[in-house]
Amino acid sequence: MLPRLASSGRLRIRAAIPICIGAALAAPAAWGSWPQLTAKQRQFMPPAPYNTAAAVILYKQVDCNNPRSTEEHFVRIKILRHAGLNYATIKIPYLYQGMTIAGIAGRTIEPDGTIIPFRGKVRRTLIAAEGHARIDALEFNLPQVQVGSILDYRYNVGYNGGGSDDIGSMLETYTLLPTTTWNLQQDLWIRRERYSIMPTHGYTLQWIVTGLSAQQQLRQKGNFYLLSLRQIPPTPNEPKELPRAMIQKSVVFFYNLNTTRSPKSYWKNLGKKYAHQARQFAGNRKKLKAWLARWNLTGSREAKLRALYLHVLQIQNLNLNASVANPRPAKHALKVLRHGYASGSQLNLLLVALARAAGYKAYWVHSAQRNRMSFLSKWCNPNQLDNDMVMIRLHGKYLFFDPSSGAPFGDLLWWENGVIALIARHSGGKFIIIPNQSSRDATRFRHLDLTWEPDGGWAGGLQAKWTGTLALSLRMALIKDSQARRQQFLSRLARSWLPYGTQLALLSSQGWRTGANTITAQWQVQLPGRGTRAALLPQDVLNLGRAPLFSARQRTQAVYFHYMYRHHDEITLHLPRDAQVQAVPPVQIPNPPSRSAVDFSEQTSAEKMPTSVVVKVNRRLIIRLVVAPVQFYPTIKGFFDAVHQADHATLSLRMPLTEPAL
């Protein structure tokens, strides 16, 4: 269900105030008493199929007070199975420098009604950190929890903040007007939940509703907006699903500060501001041309642009590598070039400045991220376009670049493709859609070469190669890891491809440097054998450990492949000359989808050589779509079930008898 935009009224004050994005946690006065819990409520059991779950949420309440920048949270959970005992550990995430947590309290109600209050310690743990930003969690354990127990806990959270921000040389003052998110679905079934919010007086409160029916809407009561829901199913958890923010029932509140302009004029004006910021960062173009002359860029226009891009990638990215102690601020391109380091966005601005100095049409572009949620043009909030990249015209068409991610020339991260983006222009911002890359831009090739040994085992080598989007995603996932950790990851990955008991030794891996288009790895491999003449192998032994991609008969959400890709496997088996091979029949795909969307082929052949029999398996899987509506799920499932069946079709091999050595 697509989100809907609603509003509580008109804004009466003109202002330009950036909005703090994030789910809210807050800190008002603690509640006076726990909500009532009767004996009938203690004995409550949810309807099927949720009565077999590990636990359920009986009641959830969130009360937001925007004028005080606070929220109150209360949750009541019932444990139904032994697997639900881990819900006794409560974690409250928060921004370390942006929020304060107070009023933590909890209790356990035993099945017989005995109440055991929480009197233990609250621990602080680190969840994630990048630069000066960090997300922590307060963690505690409720006491003596058993199957049938009911867990109550509550906490208060307060926002910190306010100040100023420098956007395109325009210093804008902002107050604390938080973007509050009500996540109405959890991983557990919810019997009943209640939400309230008090807006800040004088500002227009708006909200985006996702996944609710016309009957499940907010109602106004005095100065508050209220929402009460019953019997909310768990958040969908299906393979290859859309980002959670797009499918989870939720309400996102924000304050509309665009008082005098339409959304179209708001985004146009924002594009002007970004263009002004890009021009300011570029500084003196003549001095940039003099710097370019040092690099001696030669060749065609494409060759010059490639060389220029490579020079930008050699600037140290502080977002990916924080090895620079006490980095000096750089507000201009020349200072970045002299320092040799920059933030991610500064690298993108540097590419824009240098490309313009070299005679190319280049633009700073701000985009949404489709791994998070859809862009809504009516929501006049620049944080929707919190990702930036570069657009450069070459040979009559525009190419897109993101040196901040270390992407190769012309490549982007998968969630930067197929998105709405705002071009920063002095005449005003203009929206475009960045095209999706093709399946050829995200490939994985694996080659397994094995020889049958007299003792009944297999020995040989495995090679893997990732290119384009797949290589970039792999590099970004491991970019901050040491070489030893990368080797451990690659070994675990290869082990997950091959049968249990396979012995692996990583021989080499290459392509980890920033800007490389390909990552390769090689292993020495020994597969287990039984010491017999007969051998049974799956047709594609590299997919032996892979479970069916879609196992559920029915589905509630669209299928989302993130990006187009192609997988190519080659398996070569060297057998004794007199070995017998039972070939596998050709693959039959029942009710195949359009080959323009997906394609699969798997062929096995055996060839008798002078001294051996060589069996070759050639497998290709190509995905040329990103989103498939839910009504096409049976067809998609049938296709991947056939692929799984073909991969696990058995190769029957029988080896000749060998004379014992005298």
Side-chain angles (χ1 to χ4, degrees):
M1 184 179 294
L2 293 176
R4 297 188 297 279
L5 193 68
S7 174
S8 69
R10 286 182 169 272
L11 179 66
R12 289 174 285 180
I13 302 176
R14 290 187 61 183
I17 305 176
I19 298 173
C20 300
I21 289 292
L25 301 175
W31 296 10
S33 61
W34 296 99
Q36 182 183 12
L37 179 64
T38 65
K40 184 177 180 180
Q41 290 172 336
R42 291 202 315 269
Q43 297 166 4
F44 171 81
M45 288 296 292
Y50 308 113
N51 54 0
T52 60
V56 294
I57 297 176
L58 297 180
Y59 183 61
K60 178 184 176 185
Q61 182 171 336
V62 178
D63 295 314
C64 309
N65 189 320
N66 282 176
R68 297 175 60 191
S69 296
T70 60
E71 284 188 5
E72 297 175 343
H73 290 247
F74 169 76
V75 181
R76 174 170 285 166
I77 299 175
K78 183 173 183 179
I79 307 301
L80 303 183
R81 299 284 183 274
H82 186 272
L85 296 180
N86 61 337
Y87 288 100
T89 300
I90 311 300
K91 291 185 178 180
I92 306 171
Y94 68 100
L95 293 174
Y96 180 72
Q97 293 181 328
M99 301 175 181
T100 56
I101 311 294
I104 291 178
R107 64 178 187 169
T108 301
I109 301 99
E110 300 291 18
D112 62 0
T114 303
I115 297 177
I116 307 171
F118 165 70
R119 293 193 175 94
K121 293 183 177 180
V122 177
R123 307 175 297 275
R124 191 175 78 187
T125 59
L126 176 65
I127 295 179
E130 182 171 341
H132 297 293
R134 56 183 283 176
I135 300 176
D136 285 11
L138 293 183
E139 183 178 320
F140 57 97
N141 294 89
L142 294 177
Q144 301 183 36
V145 177
Q146 58 180 293
V147 174
S149 295
I150 291 176
L151 314 181
D152 284 354
Y153 67 92
R154 64 195 182 199
Y155 57 91
N156 309 321
V157 189
Y159 292 103
N160 312 319
S164 60
D165 195 12
D166 187 7
I167 299 180
S169 80
M170 299 180 65
L171 194 64
E172 301 184 350
T173 302
Y174 64 91
T175 60
L176 195 62
L177 295 179
T179 297
T180 301
T181 300
W182 291 349
N183 292 316
L184 307 177
Q185 280 182 298
Q186 306 292 323
D187 294 333
L188 300 176
W189 180 82
I190 303 174
R191 183 191 184 196
R192 189 163 68 94
E193 55 186 346
R194 177 186 179 278
Y195 297 83
S196 71
I197 186 169
M198 176 186 283
T200 299
H201 179 71
Y203 297 92
T204 300
L205 180 69
Q206 291 188 303
W207 53 87
I208 299 170
V209 177
T210 302
L212 295 183
S213 66
Q215 293 74 33
Q216 298 172 317
Q217 297 300 308
L218 279 77
R219 59 187 177 89
Q220 187 173 4
K221 186 176 181 180
N223 294 329
F224 289 87
Y225 291 89
L226 308 175
L227 178 65
S228 296
L229 301 173
R230 292 180 179 272
Q231 299 193 14
I232 302 299
T235 303
N237 184 16
E238 299 172 318
K240 300 295 182 183
E241 66 180 5
L242 290 162
R244 176 160 289 201
M246 297 175 63
I247 60 177
Q248 184 182 45
K249 297 179 188 298
S250 65
V251 182
V252 178
F253 292 94
F254 59 93
Y255 289 91
N256 184 3
L257 305 168
N258 181 35
T259 57
T260 60
R261 300 188 300 271
S262 65
K264 182 178 180 180
S265 64
Y266 172 85
W267 296 113
K268 185 175 181 179
N269 188 63
L270 184 65
K272 289 182 180 180
K273 289 184 179 181
Y274 286 145
H276 180 77
Q277 188 174 352
R279 175 180 286 179
Q280 269 205 326
F281 182 85
N284 191 308
R285 183 173 292 192
K286 288 184 178 180
K287 292 183 178 179
L288 286 180
K289 287 183 177 180
W291 195 284
L292 287 171
R294 304 181 190 179
W295 291 345
N296 192 27
L297 305 177
T298 58
S300 65
R301 284 184 61 80
E302 180 176 344
K304 291 179 181 178
L305 185 58
R306 285 182 178 273
L308 190 155
Y309 184 75
L310 184 59
H311 279 287
V312 173
L313 287 184
Q314 291 171 352
I315 304 292
Q316 188 171 357
N317 188 338
L318 295 177
N319 294 109
L320 302 180
N321 187 345
S323 62
V324 178
N326 301 318
R328 291 172 291 175
K331 293 188 176 181
H332 302 286
L334 283 172
K335 286 189 175 181
V336 169
L337 292 169
R338 290 167 184 153
H339 293 169
Y341 56 79
S343 67
S345 290
Q346 286 178 332
L347 284 179
N348 291 346
L349 284 168
L350 178 64
L351 178 60
V352 172
L354 292 173
R356 288 175 176 175
Y360 299 89
K361 285 188 176 181
Y363 300 90
W364 198 25
V365 176
H366 289 72
S367 73
Q369 301 180 31
R370 62 182 176 89
N371 62 334
R372 293 168 56 180
M373 68 179 298
S374 298
F375 171 77
L376 299 171
S377 61
K378 292 183 179 180
W379 183 9
C380 299
N381 184 343
N383 290 297
Q384 287 199 90
L385 304 176
D386 59 354
N387 181 69
D388 64 285
M389 60 188 80
V390 179
M391 183 176 77
I392 300 177
R393 186 174 178 86
L394 180 67
H395 302 322
K397 64 178 183 179
Y398 285 105
L399 302 179
F400 295 90
F401 305 87
D402 186 8
S404 68
S405 68
F409 183 90
D411 279 352
L412 298 173
L413 292 162
W414 70 263
W415 39 259
E416 295 178 315
N417 290 286
V419 297
I420 292 175
L422 181 70
I423 306 175
R425 305 184 309 171
H426 294 287
S427 59
K430 178 183 178 181
F431 280 113
I432 59 167
I433 297 179
I434 297 177
N436 276 308
Q437 294 182 322
S438 72
S439 60
R440 293 183 180 275
D441 296 317
T443 64
R444 184 195 67 194
F445 173 76
R446 299 181 296 185
H447 182 209
L448 180 64
D449 192 289
L450 297 175
T451 300
W452 178 263
E453 295 190 321
D455 62 359
W458 299 91
L462 170 64
Q463 297 179 347
K465 180 172 69 174
W466 298 266
T467 64
T469 302
L470 282 172
L472 179 57
S473 299
L474 184 59
R475 187 181 301 111
M476 288 296 291
L478 303 175
I479 196 164
K480 295 185 179 180
D481 289 345
S482 64
Q483 183 177 357
R485 289 181 65 93
R486 289 175 187 165
Q487 292 176 345
Q488 292 173 3
F489 172 85
L490 290 173
S491 295
R492 289 195 303 269
L493 181 62
R495 200 165 280 114
S496 70
W497 295 338
L498 293 164
Y500 177 78
T502 298
Q503 297 182 20
L504 285 167
L506 181 64
L507 301 178
S508 66
S509 67
Q510 297 177 341
W512 298 104
R513 65 176 177 81
T514 299
N517 185 62
T518 302
I519 293 177
T520 60
Q522 297 186 29
W523 297 265
Q524 187 178 3
V525 177
Q526 282 191 321
L527 270 65
R530 299 180 180 176
T532 64
R533 293 178 59 202
L536 299 176
L537 279 178
Q539 183 170 216
D540 189 355
V541 68
L542 289 172
N543 286 297
L544 179 62
R546 186 182 181 91
L549 184 57
F550 302 106
S551 57
R553 296 183 62 183
Q554 295 182 334
R555 186 179 175 98
T556 62
Q557 303 294 328
V559 179
Y560 185 42
F561 286 101
H562 292 179
Y563 51 86
M564 305 178 198
Y565 65 88
R566 58 179 60 201
H567 290 168
H568 183 192
D569 291 343
E570 286 185 356
I571 299 172
T572 304
L573 305 176
H574 302 274
L575 312 177
R577 184 177 182 278
D578 296 328
Q580 299 176 8
V581 181
Q582 182 177 353
V584 177
V587 177
Q588 299 293 328
I589 304 292
N591 301 320
S594 169
R595 289 189 178 273
S596 63
V598 295
D599 197 4
F600 176 77
S601 65
E602 192 161 41
Q603 298 177 341
T604 300
S605 63
E607 183 179 359
K608 206 158 199 176
M609 308 296 286
T611 59
S612 64
V613 174
V614 178
V615 177
K616 291 187 177 181
V617 179
N618 197 312
R619 175 191 188 269
R620 284 184 172 87
L621 173 65
I622 304 175
I623 304 298
R624 300 191 185 94
L625 78 163
V626 176
V627 179
V630 68
Q631 60 264 34
F632 293 104
Y633 175 67
T635 303
I636 296 293
K637 181 181 185 302
F639 172 79
F640 279 95
D641 285 349
V643 170
H644 181 77
Q645 185 177 357
D647 288 339
H648 286 71
T650 303
L651 282 173
S652 179
L653 311 174
R654 192 167 184 84
M655 311 306 169
L657 287 170
T658 57
E659 296 291 335
L662 298 177

